[in-house]
Amino acid sequence: PHTALGGKKEGYSESTINGEAWRVLTKWDPRHEFMIQVAEPLAGRERLARHITLKMLLPTLIALPVLALLIWFGVGAGLRPLQQLKQEVKQRTANRLDPLAMVGVPEEVAPLAQALNELFARLQQAFEGERRFTADAAHELRTPLAALKIQAQVALRSTDKAEQNLALENVLHGVDRATRLVEQLLALARVDPETAAINYRQVDLHGLAATVMADLEPLAHAKQIEMTLEEDAACYVLGDNAQLGLLLRNLLDNAIRYTPAGGQVLVSARDANGIVLTVQDTGPGIPQAEREQVLQRFYRIAGSGEDGSGLGLSIVRRIAELHGARLELNGNDNDTGAGLRVSVLWPARQS
């Protein structure tokens, strides 16, 4: 061209030539005598930019839906075992506690399925225990209630005053037995492992034993049984005062109930590398072969001559377990008779 394409300043600039926008590069020689200008229409540059942009975006626009679809299928396939597990658990009834099938369960979901199976097993065991307890309780209550009905019918039909009085005395005796059984059942139901530790405080076993012995003194006095609490250093354990009182009451009640008239009951609490609470008596004792069985619910030794519920020692063991202690039954080691020595032992950390 006969005229300059742009300004004389070196570098890039834009100018309008023949009504069209141009991009101009201006360069000077070292002596600044000659000027060189190169120009390109801006429309061509814009077309090239659009072409490059389209080439870059088109694969991305095509790939994004495909990638999203692949992700959707992948996540769905990964979550499918969880969905199946959810549906199986959701469709179960309250009575269906059999284990979940572990066949085909992915490695990532296996720990969850295993934990659910362990939970189902614990629930199954708890429900079965409750069903057995309810059935046993119903059976044990049915016997004294049937006896009460029979004795009441005898009293109603008899015309002999002495026979009526004997039947009424048997009714009173049956009521006492049923009352004790109900009290033991309620006591066992109150021993709740979920809430037991909430009420734990430092409990003085000596003071608690003295209180329970004072409550049971009339029962011991009626049989001329001497109850003694050994003096020793104070013994404290972390526990529930009411439950430990129930434990002592059951041990002492059993000792008084099965010890012959004129016998002795000795209570002690000492720290011997761990707290040891002991109740021993001069009664007939428990044969070695039956010491584990008497800890089961409703088990009674044949020929004992006493009407009991068979729940006392099972309650004692349950309370001991909840307090981190263990129960031991041994023969008496003194010279006053065969007897029984029941020990509740706390580990050293409870001292």
Side-chain angles (χ1 to χ4, degrees):
H2 299 287
T3 58
L5 299 177
K8 295 183 179 182
K9 186 177 180 181
E10 191 173 60
Y12 286 100
S13 63
E14 292 183 6
S15 64
T16 302
I17 302 173
N18 297 329
E20 186 178 356
W22 291 69
R23 181 77 167 171
V24 181
L25 172 63
T26 304
K27 294 290 290 185
W28 287 91
D29 70 295
R31 295 182 179 182
H32 211 72
E33 295 178 352
F34 299 99
M35 181 182 70
I36 301 174
Q37 289 184 324
V38 179
E40 181 185 16
L42 283 177
R45 292 174 59 87
E46 291 175 357
R47 284 194 302 272
L48 179 62
R50 284 194 298 270
H51 179 73
I52 294 173
T53 303
L54 186 61
K55 286 287 187 182
M56 293 177 62
L57 287 180
L58 187 60
T60 304
L61 293 175
I62 295 174
L64 278 177
V66 175
L67 184 61
L69 193 62
L70 289 175
I71 292 174
W72 184 77
F73 277 114
V75 172
L79 293 179
R80 190 173 297 114
L82 280 177
Q83 291 292 337
Q84 293 172 349
L85 192 64
K86 170 194 165 185
Q87 289 300 323
E88 185 174 351
V89 173
K90 186 177 180 180
Q91 292 171 2
R92 286 177 172 240
T93 62
N95 295 325
R96 186 185 169 193
L97 295 173
D98 53 291
L100 297 170
M102 297 295 292
V103 179
V105 175
E107 184 179 351
E108 296 80 2
V109 184
L112 174 60
Q114 185 62 37
L116 285 172
N117 284 340
E118 292 173 359
L119 174 62
F120 290 155
R122 291 195 298 270
L123 288 173
Q124 181 76 21
Q125 185 178 4
F127 289 160
E128 287 180 358
E130 291 300 323
R131 282 194 290 267
R132 287 196 303 269
F133 175 75
T134 303
D136 291 343
H139 173 75
E140 293 297 321
L141 283 171
R142 190 182 298 115
T143 301
L145 291 176
L148 283 175
K149 182 178 180 180
I150 292 172
Q151 294 299 329
Q153 289 172 342
V154 170
L156 283 174
R157 295 172 183 175
S158 177
T159 57
D160 183 67
K161 189 68 174 178
E163 187 177 0
Q164 286 181 342
N165 289 337
L166 179 60
L168 291 175
E169 288 178 2
N170 289 333
V171 168
L172 292 175
H173 179 71
V175 169
D176 291 339
R177 181 186 175 190
T179 301
R180 174 174 170 76
L181 177 58
V182 171
E183 288 175 349
Q184 294 286 59
L185 290 172
L186 291 175
L188 191 59
R190 285 195 296 267
V191 181
D192 183 3
E194 299 296 331
T195 59
I198 298 176
N199 300 319
Y200 281 5
R201 303 288 186 273
Q202 290 293 331
V203 178
D204 176 14
L205 290 181
H206 270 287
L208 185 61
T211 300
V212 176
M213 291 172 71
D215 292 340
L216 295 178
E217 177 60 31
L219 184 61
H221 181 73
K223 295 183 65 175
Q224 298 180 343
I225 292 175
E226 179 184 357
M227 288 197 300
T228 305
L229 175 61
E230 284 190 350
E231 293 295 333
D232 209 326
C235 290
Y236 289 89
V237 296
L238 187 66
D240 183 273
N241 190 79
Q243 289 188 6
L244 290 175
L246 179 62
L247 178 147
L248 267 167
R249 181 177 296 276
N250 275 282
L251 290 179
L252 286 170
D253 183 78
N254 278 352
I256 295 170
R257 184 179 296 273
Y258 292 99
T259 298
Q264 297 177 0
V265 174
L266 180 64
V267 182
S268 65
R270 65 185 186 280
D271 189 349
N273 193 27
I275 301 297
V276 181
L277 173 66
T278 304
V279 176
Q280 58 187 53
D281 59 57
T282 57
I286 298 176
Q288 179 74 33
E290 294 189 81
R291 287 177 186 170
E292 183 62 31
Q293 291 174 287
V294 296
L295 300 178
Q296 304 300 321
R297 293 174 178 176
F298 302 110
Y299 183 84
R300 291 190 293 271
I301 298 176
S304 62
E306 289 290 336
D307 290 332
S309 64
L311 288 171
L313 287 177
S314 65
I315 293 175
V316 169
R317 182 169 71 169
R318 184 59 177 152
I319 294 175
E321 289 173 349
L322 291 177
H323 285 77
R326 74 178 192 275
L327 189 66
E328 286 187 359
L329 305 182
N330 297 288
N332 211 340
D333 57 1
N334 58 31
D335 298 325
T336 57
L340 178 69
R341 184 173 73 254
V342 183
S343 301
V344 183
L345 302 95
W346 280 264
R349 60 183 175 84
Q350 289 276 10
S351 303

